[in-house]
Amino acid sequence: MVSALIAAAMLTVDTTPLTPSDRIGVMRQRESDWRIGPIVYHVFVDRFAPSATLGTKKNLYASPRRLREWNQIPERGRPTELGVWSHELDFWGGDLKSIQSKLDHVQGLSDVLYLNPVHEAFTNHKYDATNYDKIAPEYGTWADFESLASDVHKREMRLVLDGVFNHCGKANPIFQEALGNPNSVNRSWFLFRKEYPNGYRAWANVANLPEIQLEAIATREYFWLKDDSIVAKYLNAGADGWRLDVAHEIGFDFLAELTKSAHKHKPGSLVIGEAWNYPAQWTVAMDGILSIFLGKVILEAAEGNLTGRQMGESMQQLVVDCGIEPLMKSWIVLSNHDTQRLASLLPDIQTRHFAQAMQFTLPGAPLIYYGDEIGMEGADDPLQRGPMQWEKVTKENPDLNWIQKLVQVRKSVRSLRIGDFRSLVGEKLFGSLRTTEKALETTIIIANPTDKPVTETLIVPEPRLMGWTLMEDELSDYSVRIQAGTIRPAVPAKTVMVLTIDKSPAGRAQYKRMKDGQ
């Protein structure tokens, strides 16, 4: 049953118009909150950058593990008697220090570095923790983690970690002790029943992933309630937030409790969770979500399966259901370590660039999965987790050039990061309005998801937008004028326009008496 705290927060979003001073205050508050509208760069630690000290740690990859060459492509393996697939034991040797050596690249594209799990575990993906208190030896030490966090912060960036609290690894000593001793004090951590295939409840019935009984107070004290909990320990060591694995299975009440605890341990920290669900209600239990939903909407539109009108109506309802700020704190995911890479999902480069432009202009935080910025391909697991192809990081790479352009536009157009959102009603085109307290920051997003050019008139319900204002596309040399609250753009197939007000003194003369917040 959803708690009173969650239920109360699910009331209809307040639509009372803000006073000018309140509007200014809201925008300044959003701008000061790092969790709102950043660009996130997602790294799978073992595969991001070659280790400079690989020779000194080869013993960590002894059989049944296998160390691969950096230029080798992952191959799907077979089930083993250890309860994991053989490809889960293939390693490429990346670590925390090698990530640190590539922070210039990360910083050039993002504001937040997000890492897959860094705690000790048996597999390469680390979603089967054997010791939450310890950094995986293949990745380094606590000193290496603290050094990475410090370097990230010196660059005015943030560091978010993957929290795997729904299940642990079978080799975890806590589980092994409970498994072997029916009278163990740790027995309450897990659910042992004969009707389960493995004799205990496991995530997706995978023997290597026994589920944790979060109903037991001891587990929640260990993971997030106590001041020396796992959540607190990593936050105090330099992490700025948590992305929670399979958050939708943790449930609303425990997520709300975890989020409250994280904020107590480190004010201003971020808690978002993986939810393969419609976002409403989940964005109440946490600061935001890993918005696989919104990524799916973008991909469906890019593939021609959603019309502009459908997308516009869906987005407007999403804002009503969730509120704008929880959406701004949510990460928009087009691909990640659990899905096919974007270049494999959308092989056509124009369609792919269309999807990325949508990702960078909707309310939320666009997530770049390492390698997607250079057009790396990768189908289903484990192909989407290939080693970073650094040889493709060149000035001639069209995917990299496009992402760099989107990053530049998002950083320069303030309304894309913190602005309010409103859908514009179209038929074939999807349109949206992004506004702040400054009239001159009004931005109109127009997207044509079809495979043909479209010219269409859209109503622009923004009273501060003056008639005959010239709107210029930040992504091309196209321009179009506002005419009495309407706009009629001519949009090429699979194209997104980011229309901002003409920056010339003559173009802005009409706005000479427009005050901030009006």
Side-chain angles (χ1 to χ4, degrees):
M1 185 174 180
V2 179
S3 68
L5 174 66
I6 300 293
M10 290 175 60
L11 296 175
T12 303
V13 176
D14 185 6
T15 57
T16 305
L18 295 175
T19 66
S21 60
D22 286 344
R23 189 173 175 85
I24 292 171
V26 166
M27 294 300 161
R28 289 179 178 173
Q29 185 174 16
R30 288 179 188 172
E31 197 162 34
S32 67
D33 190 341
W34 72 270
R35 301 169 297 181
I36 287 182
I39 304 171
V40 181
Y41 193 87
H42 174 187
V43 165
F44 193 94
V45 181
D46 180 64
R47 314 289 166 85
F48 184 57
S51 173
T53 59
L54 190 59
T56 65
K57 60 174 187 172
K58 284 191 174 180
N59 62 302
L60 299 174
Y61 306 102
S63 183
R65 295 177 171 184
R66 180 171 59 166
L67 186 61
R68 311 300 298 274
E69 296 294 329
W70 197 262
N71 61 359
Q72 289 182 289
I73 303 298
E75 299 173 350
R76 190 167 181 80
R78 54 178 178 76
T80 70
E81 65 279 1
L82 299 170
V84 300
W85 286 74
S86 58
H87 62 254
E88 294 181 88
L89 301 177
D90 284 344
F91 290 79
W92 272 256
D95 52 36
L96 298 177
K97 285 185 177 179
S98 64
I99 292 173
Q100 194 168 355
S101 73
K102 296 293 186 179
L103 283 182
D104 284 347
H105 178 80
V106 177
Q107 183 181 15
L109 297 174
S110 65
D111 311 292
V112 174
L113 171 62
Y114 154 53
L115 304 179
N116 284 111
V118 298
H119 51 237
E120 182 185 82
F122 183 45
T123 62
N124 53 45
H125 52 70
K126 307 302 180 195
Y127 286 94
D128 56 334
T130 52
N131 189 340
Y132 289 95
D133 280 293
K134 185 178 180 182
I135 298 294
E138 314 94 276
Y139 293 171
T141 63
W142 272 106
D144 294 330
F145 173 77
E146 291 170 348
S147 177
L148 173 63
S150 176
D151 201 348
V152 166
H153 294 151
K154 286 177 183 177
R155 296 166 182 265
E156 298 184 347
M157 298 172 63
R158 304 287 177 157
L159 177 63
V160 174
L161 300 180
D162 213 319
V164 191
F165 308 141
N166 178 72
H167 51 266
C168 66
K170 184 179 180 180
N172 192 301
I174 298 174
F175 175 75
Q176 285 297 315
E177 197 270 341
L179 179 66
N181 180 7
N183 299 316
S184 167
V185 295
N186 295 324
R187 191 78 173 180
S188 65
W189 279 51
F190 309 95
L191 191 60
F192 296 96
R193 287 183 181 172
K194 293 179 180 179
E195 57 263 35
Y196 290 116
N198 305 299
Y200 51 87
R201 189 171 68 186
W203 184 79
N205 289 323
V206 175
N208 187 46
L209 301 175
E211 286 200 345
I212 294 167
Q213 278 273 87
L214 295 176
E215 289 76 8
I217 187 65
T219 62
R220 305 202 312 280
E221 287 178 341
Y222 173 79
F223 283 116
W224 61 74
L225 285 175
K226 287 189 173 182
D227 289 341
D228 60 350
S229 65
I230 296 302
V231 165
K233 181 174 183 176
Y234 283 90
L235 290 176
N236 292 333
D240 299 290
W242 289 93
R243 173 269 190 195
L244 304 178
D245 187 52
V246 292
H248 50 281
E249 295 194 27
I250 293 175
F252 300 117
D253 291 342
F254 292 150
L255 290 172
E257 183 183 78
L258 192 163
T259 302
K260 182 179 179 180
S261 295
H263 292 170
K264 177 177 72 76
H265 298 316
K266 190 169 189 174
S269 58
L270 171 71
V271 177
I272 67 166
E274 177 188 23
W276 293 71
N277 310 55
Y278 186 72
Q281 203 167 326
W282 299 100
T283 51
V284 177
M286 300 170 282
D287 295 314
I289 67 167
L290 202 68
S291 191
I292 300 163
F293 164 79
L294 196 46
K296 179 63 172 174
V297 169
I298 293 171
L299 292 171
E300 289 292 321
E303 293 174 332
N305 299 327
L306 285 175
T307 66
R309 174 178 283 276
Q310 287 175 312
M311 190 167 187
E313 291 175 352
S314 299
M315 282 302 307
Q316 194 63 42
Q317 188 61 48
L318 185 65
V319 173
V320 171
D321 290 342
C322 298
I324 186 65
E325 291 188 0
L327 290 180
M328 289 176 169
K329 293 176 183 176
S330 297
W331 296 355
I332 304 174
V333 181
L334 293 179
S335 73
N336 68 2
H337 65 288
D338 286 327
T339 70
Q340 292 188 46
R341 283 190 171 276
L342 189 59
S344 295
L345 287 167
L346 302 176
D348 176 69
I349 193 169
Q350 180 68 20
T351 305
R352 184 161 70 248
H353 289 183
F354 170 87
Q356 289 170 317
M358 290 298 299
Q359 181 193 31
F360 270 70
T361 54
L362 291 174
L367 179 143
I368 303 170
Y369 181 45
Y370 81 97
D372 277 0
E373 75 272 22
I374 54 174
M376 276 180 60
E377 298 178 348
D380 294 324
D381 187 21
L383 295 176
Q384 79 275 56
R385 303 176 184 180
M388 177 70 170
Q389 297 171 355
W390 288 102
E391 69 277 8
K392 291 186 177 180
V393 181
T394 67
K395 294 180 179 179
E396 293 75 33
N397 187 307
D399 284 289
L400 183 57
N401 289 336
W402 180 245
I403 284 292
Q404 288 173 334
K405 178 66 173 177
L406 292 175
V407 170
Q408 183 272 322
V409 169
R410 188 173 177 90
K411 289 183 178 293
S412 64
V413 180
R414 182 169 174 257
S415 58
L416 294 180
R417 304 190 306 277
I418 66 168
D420 287 328
F421 174 93
R422 183 169 180 174
S423 289
L424 306 182
V425 179
E427 287 295 338
K428 295 181 179 179
L429 297 179
F430 165 71
S432 65
L433 186 66
R434 303 298 306 274
T435 56
T436 70
E437 82 283 15
K438 301 176 185 290
L440 287 170
E441 291 183 344
T442 300
T443 304
I444 300 172
I445 315 301
I446 305 291
N448 177 8
T450 76
D451 56 5
K452 295 180 181 179
V454 173
T455 300
E456 192 169 89
T457 299
L458 301 174
I459 307 300
V460 185
E462 173 48 67
R464 301 177 301 170
L465 198 55
M466 301 291 188
W468 298 101
T469 294
L470 184 66
M471 306 294 292
E472 300 176 324
D473 183 19
E474 296 283 341
L475 298 175
S476 72
D477 58 2
Y478 180 79
S479 62
V480 61
R481 288 191 182 276
I482 294 290
Q483 298 186 42
T486 69
I487 192 170
R488 187 172 173 80
V491 190
K494 303 295 184 188
T495 295
V496 175
M497 292 179 175
V498 180
L499 300 172
T500 57
I501 295 174
D502 175 12
K503 296 177 180 59
S504 71
R508 297 192 165 200
Q510 298 181 81
Y511 293 85
K512 58 185 178 293
R513 295 189 180 92
M514 189 65 69
K515 298 178 181 178
D516 290 351
Q518 290 183 331

